[in-house]
Amino acid sequence: MLLLAAAIWGFGFVAQRLGMESLEPFAFNGLRFMIGALSLLPLIWFLQRRGRLKGVKDSGFLPRALLGSSVCGGILFIAASFQQVGLLYTTAANAGFITGLYIVLVPVLGLLLKHSTGSNTWIGCAVAAVGLYFLSVGENFSVTYGDGLQLIGALFWAMHILAVDHFTSRVAPVVLACGQFLVCALASFAVSLVLETTTMAGVQQAWATLAYAGLVSVGVAYTLQVLAQKHAHPAHAAIILSLETVFAAIGGILFLGESLSGRALFGCALMLLGMLISQLPLRYLVKSRHEKAA
């Protein structure tokens, strides 16, 4: 599920770039996250009717859902805003690399929360980070205004992964996903009303990118993230999700006429290797323990 989410987000970079040809950043974010929130309402209704939303009848469910949605949605709003606005001032390659730094920031921040992280995860983080560099950054890397915005955003993407990891065990994942989208959408609309001018003509021109960014990139991918993180270590989740940069490069080739150099292909290979290093040793370790127990 995390790998599928990464693929969807990677292709979503294409939609985000194309969408801003007609809409400004906060309006685009507000609309896409509102579409994502609304797309989950039928699923929540269906699961509620089937009695498959655990804990919804508990007295503490609503406070927990409001708290989780507010925290995750607030962090999501900040991270998505820095990313979307930063794309106006830097290249997609630099944005992809700097945003992908959350694969290193997640285990570092996790130490503050007393998360246990194996050595293979640290090695996987390092290899994947080097891969991101070769994929996204040319020889003349410099920290521009847009790069700085992306760097701040990367910190909040890391915080978002940890926040989701914390609340998925306390709130039904689909409810948490819908709630955080709604909070992010409302915050984006509030900023857009103050800073931007949005026209119906612009919304109509961006309908295709909004449909993908809202229904698929937000409604499907972020929900996959929340569901999957119930069963995945946050550091492992960060590495897998960072593969969105690889899929963004593929999307650029297919839809924007871009090309991948040998350097970029080498970066893709390193990112895949980093993902494998972070997880395969743990699986073999668990397998060997079971064999010894038998």
Side-chain angles (χ1 to χ4, degrees):
M1 286 192 289
L2 289 171
L3 185 61
L4 179 58
I8 292 172
W9 285 338
F11 289 114
F13 267 97
V14 176
Q16 287 176 249
R17 290 296 300 273
L18 294 176
M20 285 197 295
E21 293 179 357
S22 305
L23 293 172
E24 294 181 89
F26 289 99
F28 184 81
N29 273 348
L31 287 168
R32 73 181 178 115
F33 280 105
M34 181 59 73
I35 292 172
L38 294 176
S39 71
L40 291 181
L41 292 180
L43 177 59
I44 292 175
W45 176 83
F46 175 78
L47 294 176
Q48 172 66 13
R49 289 291 300 271
R50 292 296 183 91
R52 298 181 63 181
L53 286 181
K54 295 182 180 179
V56 292
K57 296 182 179 180
D58 298 344
S59 58
F61 175 79
L62 183 58
R64 290 197 305 270
L66 290 175
L67 177 61
S69 298
S70 299
V71 173
C72 293
I75 298 173
L76 178 62
F77 162 71
I78 297 172
S81 297
F82 276 111
Q83 182 186 76
Q84 197 70 21
V85 175
L87 280 170
L88 294 173
Y89 303 100
T90 189
T91 64
N94 278 21
F97 169 69
I98 298 172
T99 299
L101 288 177
Y102 64 70
I103 68 173
V104 177
L105 295 174
V106 164
V108 171
L109 293 177
L111 292 177
L112 301 178
L113 301 175
K114 299 181 179 180
H115 289 178
S116 59
T117 303
S119 59
N120 60 306
T121 299
W122 289 106
I123 296 172
C125 282
V127 173
V130 173
L132 274 168
Y133 175 81
F134 279 103
L135 172 64
S136 302
V137 181
E139 297 179 357
N140 298 321
F141 177 80
S142 60
V143 180
T144 64
Y145 176 67
D147 293 338
L149 294 178
Q150 297 294 344
L151 183 59
I152 298 172
L155 176 62
F156 283 96
W157 285 122
M159 293 171 60
H160 181 254
I161 288 177
L162 292 171
V164 169
D165 179 70
H166 176 77
F167 284 105
T168 47
S169 60
R170 295 165 173 80
V171 182
V174 67
V175 174
L176 178 63
C178 183
Q180 70 167 352
F181 300 158
L182 183 60
V183 170
C184 182
L186 293 177
S188 298
F189 282 139
V191 176
S192 179
L193 286 174
V194 176
L195 301 179
E196 301 174 345
T197 301
T198 304
T199 64
M200 185 56 65
V203 175
Q204 292 175 343
Q205 290 175 1
W207 73 267
T209 56
L210 282 172
Y212 180 90
L215 294 175
V216 183
S217 186
V218 175
V220 175
Y222 278 102
T223 303
L224 287 173
Q225 178 201 3
V226 173
L227 292 172
Q229 280 198 234
K230 289 192 69 174
H231 311 285
H233 190 286
H236 295 167
I239 292 177
I240 297 173
L241 292 175
S242 72
L243 290 171
E244 69 178 285
T245 310
V246 176
F247 291 106
I250 296 174
I253 293 173
L254 295 178
F255 302 107
L256 300 178
E258 299 175 353
S259 61
L260 272 178
S261 64
R263 175 190 176 94
L265 289 172
F266 179 63
C268 292
L270 285 179
M271 290 186 68
L272 292 171
L273 179 61
M275 182 187 71
L276 293 174
I277 291 174
S278 71
Q279 296 196 62
L280 288 180
L282 291 179
R283 295 177 182 176
Y284 287 134
L285 179 59
V286 172
K287 180 179 179 181
S288 65
R289 286 181 177 175
H290 282 304
E291 289 175 347
K292 290 180 180 179

